[in-house]
Amino acid sequence: MIKLEYNGFHANFNPVGAYLEDLQKDGTSIIRKSSDKNSTHGGAAVLFPFGNRIQNAEYYFNNKQYSLPENDGKNSIHGLVRELAFDSNSGDKFIEFSNHFKSMFYPGEAYIKIKYEITGNLFVTSFYVKSMTSIIPVEIGFHPYFNVHGSYSISYNSRMKKFNYKDVYFPDGSTVDVDYNGKELNKIPLDNCFYLDSTVILKDEKHSIRMVRKNMPYLVLYNGQYAGNDSIAVEPMTGIPDVYHNHVGLVTLEKNAEFVCSYSIEVI
């Protein structure tokens, strides 16, 4: 376990998966721990090189077929780095995890770096990736579970588009406008992907949290079984579920090309 403490923030990390286990601000729990040690049931898992489900655990890229681990029925979910050991480097206000990523399930190699940094009242999480050997497909996501107290809602200042699903898990690429501004989300079952290129404020009966995303215009909201009655996962994403098939939000990087994305949270 690695700790980062500064300006009222207290964060615990596991270098396996570059995983933020929990986060507190001024003694208040903001991101909660997993209750069963599964990194996508609590904390804030790092998801790369795909964020959500890939149908049938296979995909084609650059005219070649690749198989993925079947870890969600016949599908693959939540990327390939959650069990990966990362190198770490830290200072008073930051911790950085890095890895030269390569996998039999993936077309090329990449240098990846996840940085957690406290800047004033902001807790910032960023992801840097550089393609090392060939063109690669990239989707990046984070899976933070935010503690909530009583009823909770979100607010934002742009159009929110909900993706339509062809079945339970896989979007068909089309969207419908929705308005969740100020709605009590605790009364709405959520496991959906949205396009929302806006600051998001999560408000409950005790506090509010502002989330600002860069190069991550998609968002998954989840308050199902693993969230329980006292948390919601607000998941920044660069793409949508099944991105290797529908290509919505897919980033392709030529050799030596780089991509950076991030999100920040602030208790307000």
Side-chain angles (χ1 to χ4, degrees):
M1 173 126 14
I2 302 174
K3 295 183 179 182
L4 178 62
E5 295 179 298
Y6 186 79
N7 198 27
F9 284 104
H10 181 104
N12 293 307
F13 303 92
N14 189 332
V16 175
Y19 174 51
L20 172 61
E21 292 191 344
D22 65 282
L23 176 68
Q24 296 181 15
K25 179 69 165 75
D26 298 326
T28 298
S29 178
I30 304 301
I31 293 177
R32 73 166 200 176
K33 285 185 177 181
S34 172
S35 61
D36 62 4
K37 297 185 179 181
N38 185 311
S39 64
T40 56
H41 296 171
V46 176
L47 311 176
F48 174 87
F50 55 93
N52 214 299
R53 289 179 179 86
I54 303 298
Q55 191 169 19
N56 296 322
E58 56 79 31
Y59 64 102
Y60 283 86
F61 185 74
N62 213 17
N63 299 315
K64 184 177 179 180
Q65 185 176 21
Y66 295 88
S67 297
L68 293 167
E70 293 184 6
N71 58 3
D72 182 67
K74 293 183 178 180
N75 307 309
S76 191
I77 193 171
H78 291 152
L80 300 172
V81 301
R82 290 191 299 128
E83 305 300 324
L84 193 64
F86 283 76
D87 296 326
S88 65
N89 175 45
S90 62
D92 290 341
K93 303 178 185 179
F94 77 93
I95 184 164
E96 194 171 74
F97 297 96
S98 60
N99 188 280
H100 186 131
F101 172 77
K102 57 182 178 179
S103 169
M104 63 182 290
F105 306 113
Y106 196 62
E109 300 176 20
Y111 176 71
I112 58 177
K113 183 168 61 178
I114 300 94
K115 186 175 184 179
Y116 300 93
E117 185 173 15
I118 298 165
T119 304
N121 290 320
L122 299 179
F123 187 88
V124 183
T125 305
S126 61
F127 194 112
Y128 166 90
V129 53
K130 180 179 181 178
S131 176
M132 302 299 292
T133 57
S134 61
I135 188 171
I136 56 172
V138 170
E139 183 195 19
I140 297 161
F142 299 101
H143 206 305
Y145 280 83
F146 293 94
N147 272 309
V148 287
H149 306 86
S151 64
Y152 57 91
S153 63
I154 60 170
S155 60
Y156 49 90
N157 57 12
S158 69
R159 290 173 66 187
M160 187 177 195
K161 299 179 181 181
K162 180 180 178 181
F163 282 89
N164 296 312
Y165 283 61
K166 58 188 177 183
D167 54 23
V168 176
Y169 296 126
F170 301 107
D172 63 14
S174 66
T175 61
V176 59
D177 285 0
V178 293
D179 183 7
Y180 283 176
N181 243 322
K183 303 282 178 65
E184 290 187 64
L185 297 187
N186 46 292
K187 296 181 178 179
I188 305 173
L190 290 168
D191 188 5
N192 303 93
C193 185
F194 302 86
Y195 179 87
L196 182 60
D197 197 9
S198 164
T199 296
V200 176
I201 295 176
L202 173 65
K203 182 178 181 180
D204 68 9
E205 295 178 3
K206 290 190 176 181
H207 60 244
S208 298
I209 296 169
R210 179 189 288 121
M211 176 186 284
V212 178
R213 293 161 290 141
K214 295 182 179 179
N215 290 331
M216 306 190 84
Y218 303 94
L219 201 65
V220 172
L221 298 177
Y222 171 77
N223 61 4
Q225 175 185 355
Y226 302 114
N229 296 317
D230 58 358
S231 77
I232 180 173
V234 182
E235 309 168 37
M237 298 280 175
T238 61
I240 73 171
D242 208 26
V243 69
Y244 285 175
H245 293 136
N246 57 46
H247 300 155
V248 178
L250 184 69
V251 176
T252 54
L253 296 179
E254 300 281 352
K255 182 180 177 180
N256 294 324
E258 303 167 317
F259 178 78
V260 179
C261 60
S262 67
Y263 78 100
S264 67
I265 57 176
E266 179 183 9
V267 180
I268 57 175

